[in-house]
Amino acid sequence: MRRALLAAALAACCFPAFAAPAAAPAAETRSAAASALHRLFDAEWERGLRESPENAAYQGDHRYDDRWTDMSLAAVARREAADRQALAELRRIDRAALSPADQLNYDTFAWLQERAVARQRFREYLQPVGHQGGVQTADGIAELLPFATAADYRNWIARLQALPRLLEQTTALMRAGIEAGSLPPKVLMQRVPAQIRGQLVADPAASPFYKPFLKMPEAIPAAEQEALRAQARAAIAGQVVPAYREFGRFFEQDYLPKTRDSIAATDLPDGSAFYDFLAGWYTTTDLDAERIHRIGLEEVARIRAEMEKVRAEVGFQGDLHAFFRHLRTDPKFFHRTPAELLEAYQALSKRIDPELVKIARTLPRLPYGVRPIPDNIAADTTTAYYQPGAVDGSRPGYYYVNLYRPEVRPKWEMLALSLHEAVPGHHFQFARGAELPDLPMFRRTAYFVAYGEGWGLYAERLGYDMGLYEDPYDRVGQLAYDMWRAVRLVVDTGMHAKGWSRQQAIDYFMDNSPKTEQDVVNEIDRYIAWPGQALAYKIGQLKISELRGEAARELGPAFDLRDYNDAVLETGSVPLETLETHIRAWIAERKRGPGKG
């Protein structure tokens, strides 16, 4: 999952819905319409970086590392007006005068901008804090920063000094949310006070914000290092901790008691339209909740039948529910310590890497590493996530793994998880996208969840093509992960559109999956907090798998899986309809053969 992206730090900020270009044809070779289009792309990319310093750092641009996103209501209004203006400018450009490549760029930008404007009605900024991240975990942005020079540390100190203003702005948004009746579920917000208390340190050196000062580069003179440390300690003690203490009082006394007992997105103002919008946004389809629910039920039944086959293969005596309990509880399926678990993930990544040539011709140049999820968010977040590298190659990608309570992190899930989050899953997808030189930047960095997470889930099955699923328990893990995404279709629509309770969703998940209760509860709470997002995985995987089957039938002996996978990745992230059009054109071209185009 692209939990990306340092959700703990970035969830506090509002990002533009798009970005824009680089490495496009020289201006003199473009038509007037193409020049206008790329000027718009350039301007919007720069605006996105300027208005969201956190996103700029995520992209590897550190010009704004001394500040936070302006979260005032006035700034939100300015960003929304600028989005509307950008869409109006796009519509003034003559699409018919563009090349096919630029028509695709135009259409993709339009898809994003039209929906960015359409979602303004839902005022999502009125709920700026989530149980998996927000201003209470803003220290997480440090994971994206270089900390190589004294200037880098001075930028961080400036951010520390600016934190009280960010907390005040966040509080103002939450007060506006109370007035508007736009409030998150209480069952999720009950997790947040402990996260805020994690910032209330007596010793500034124990603050999560002080972590970059614990080990500083030798290139910075010792006296300057100590001066910077003293400034940081003063900012934490005098500004950061008092601001969080005040924020904590507001949260526990004023905000938490007013949060809602219900969990459904449809219980929010304009909630039914909001959930319909989110389902379409994340899946990039027009599927409604009822159809998605039925697809989920069909997939759950199919995968249960496959699980029964593996249960019989390993000779387990007992029904499927007993098999699930065995998988959740037998000590042989778990590592004993966080260190052992991290070492096993690192070894597994090394095992996968040599087999990648079996499923792709083009391998990304950007490397990736394996890191633990930060301790201050591990208890409340998912099993793993991937953080893409900087688009300019200055920062590698990272596969973040959850080491909290290793006794609930089964070995049998690790292979499928690594295939999804690292290679050939998200790392392939993001690194390949960033390395497509002829696309504008918004295409190289765009993230359509159905495409991205669909590819990640599809990548789990590529382990069969790579010869990795020799152990039947690893196959159990692959089926468990496929089931996980099928269950999502049922429980997400169940809770947000069909009146299901949180416990009903937990019970359905536990009845159909061997995932541990710790994971299941965190997952269900994630679906409550992030309506519709989880629908995209299985919908995207089904489309990519369907197109693979179509290509294999149409091309017969000429079908090569490596070429198909390269064709899927060569578009960058796009809506599923766009991917379908591209793959069918690729099939037609292959059928014509060399020299017949």
Side-chain angles (χ1 to χ4, degrees), residues 547 550 555 567 570 578-592:
L547 292 171
E550 182 177 330
L555 297 178
E570 71 188 9
T578 303
L579 178 66
E580 186 171 9
T581 300
H582 169 74
I583 292 298
R584 286 183 175 153
W586 175 82
I587 292 170
E589 181 182 357
R590 289 288 168 128
K591 289 177 75 172
R592 287 193 297 269

Side-chain angles (χ1 to χ4, degrees), residues 463-529:
Y464 292 104
D465 300 295
M466 298 162 70
L468 294 170
Y469 285 119
E470 297 171 346
D471 186 323
Y473 287 105
D474 285 337
R475 298 202 300 277
V476 166
Q478 184 274 313
L479 290 169
Y481 269 48
D482 206 18
M483 177 67 88
W484 173 18
R485 282 38 172 258
V487 165
R488 286 175 171 180
L489 301 186
V490 179
V491 299
D492 194 289
T493 54
M495 290 188 293
H496 292 295
K498 299 177 77 67
W500 283 29
S501 70
R502 177 174 178 265
Q503 190 59 50
Q504 186 177 355
I506 291 170
D507 291 345
Y508 183 86
F509 204 145
M510 294 292 289
D511 285 345
N512 288 287
S513 167
K515 284 187 73 65
T516 61
E517 187 171 6
Q518 169 89 22
D519 274 353
V520 167
V521 171
N522 277 344
E523 282 295 311
I524 292 299
D525 286 349
R526 173 189 156 200
Y527 310 152
I528 295 170

Side-chain angles (χ1 to χ4, degrees), residues 222-275:
E224 189 169 12
Q225 285 190 30
E226 188 46 48
L228 291 167
R229 289 190 176 105
Q231 292 174 47
R233 291 193 296 269
I236 291 167
Q239 293 164 284
V240 173
V241 172
Y244 273 116
R245 186 172 289 113
E246 180 61 30
F247 182 70
R249 279 196 292 267
F250 159 74
F251 191 93
E252 294 196 52
Q253 296 174 14
D254 298 344
Y255 193 72
L256 185 59
K258 295 182 175 67
T259 54
R260 58 191 168 95
D261 293 326
S262 66
I263 59 172
T266 47
D267 291 330
L268 291 168
D270 208 9
S272 293
F274 182 45
Y275 188 65

Side-chain angles (χ1 to χ4, degrees), residues 56-99:
Y58 172 71
Q59 301 297 350
D61 187 325
H62 297 289
R63 288 176 292 168
Y64 310 107
D65 281 354
D66 61 344
R67 67 199 74 172
W68 305 98
T69 296
D70 186 343
M71 296 296 292
S72 67
L73 283 164
V76 170
R78 287 194 298 271
R79 288 194 288 270
E80 289 187 341
D83 280 347
R84 294 191 296 271
Q85 177 62 29
L87 181 58
E89 289 183 29
L90 180 70
R91 287 172 173 164
R92 286 194 289 269
I93 295 171
D94 182 3
R95 181 185 179 281
L98 300 171
S99 68

Side-chain angles (χ1 to χ4, degrees), residues 142 147 153 156 207-217 229:
F147 293 109
Y153 284 90
W156 187 240
S207 168
F209 286 96
Y210 194 75
K211 185 177 177 181
F213 295 90
L214 296 177
K215 183 179 172 71
M216 297 178 71
R229 289 190 176 105

Side-chain angles (χ1 to χ4, degrees), residues 10-14 71 123-131 133-136 169-175 177 182 184 189 247 255:
L10 305 184
C13 306
C14 294
M71 296 296 292
R123 303 176 72 193
E124 293 164 87
Y125 55 83
L126 296 181
Q127 295 185 40
V129 168
H131 76 290
V135 71
Q136 77 277 14
Q169 291 175 341
T170 302
T171 301
L173 292 178
M174 295 164 76
R175 290 192 188 280
S182 180
M189 292 300 98
F247 182 70
Y255 193 72

Side-chain angles (χ1 to χ4, degrees), residues 17-216:
F18 53 84
E28 61 270 17
T29 67
R30 295 180 184 149
S31 68
S35 294
L37 183 69
H38 285 270
R39 281 196 301 271
L40 176 61
F41 290 164
D42 285 337
E44 289 304 296
W45 176 252
E46 284 299 319
R47 177 171 74 89
L49 299 175
R50 185 174 61 253
E51 291 183 346
S52 177
E54 298 85 356
N55 187 41
Y58 172 71
Q59 301 297 350
D61 187 325
H62 297 289
R63 288 176 292 168
Y64 310 107
D65 281 354
D66 61 344
R67 67 199 74 172
W68 305 98
T69 296
D70 186 343
M71 296 296 292
S72 67
L73 283 164
V76 170
R78 287 194 298 271
R79 288 194 288 270
E80 289 187 341
D83 280 347
R84 294 191 296 271
Q85 177 62 29
L87 181 58
E89 289 183 29
L90 180 70
R91 287 172 173 164
R92 286 194 289 269
I93 295 171
D94 182 3
R95 181 185 179 281
L98 300 171
S99 68
D102 269 337
Q103 286 181 346
L104 178 56
N105 292 332
Y106 180 106
D107 292 345
T108 306
F109 189 88
W111 194 99
L112 290 165
Q113 274 310 99
E114 286 165 1
R115 286 156 182 79
V117 171
R119 76 188 301 168
Q120 291 178 6
R121 67 185 272 199
F122 303 119
R123 303 176 72 193
E124 293 164 87
Y125 55 83
L126 296 181
Q127 295 185 40
V129 168
H131 76 290
Q132 289 186 310
V135 71
Q136 77 277 14
T137 54
D139 56 280
I141 190 68
E143 296 276 336
L144 303 178
L145 304 176
F147 293 109
T149 68
D152 294 331
Y153 284 90
R154 285 192 289 272
N155 284 337
W156 187 240
I157 291 167
R159 269 192 162 138
L160 299 182
Q161 294 166 341
L163 253 175
R165 180 170 179 266
L166 179 62
L167 284 158
E168 289 169 3
Q169 291 175 341
T170 302
T171 301
L173 292 178
M174 295 164 76
R175 290 192 188 280
I178 293 172
E179 291 291 320
S182 180
L183 291 158
K186 186 177 270 85
V187 69
L188 304 183
M189 292 300 98
Q190 287 168 341
R191 298 188 183 211
V192 174
Q195 297 171 359
I196 299 172
R197 287 193 293 272
Q199 301 291 358
L200 304 182
V201 295
D203 177 5
S207 168
F209 286 96
Y210 194 75
K211 185 177 177 181
F213 295 90
L214 296 177
K215 183 179 172 71
M216 297 178 71

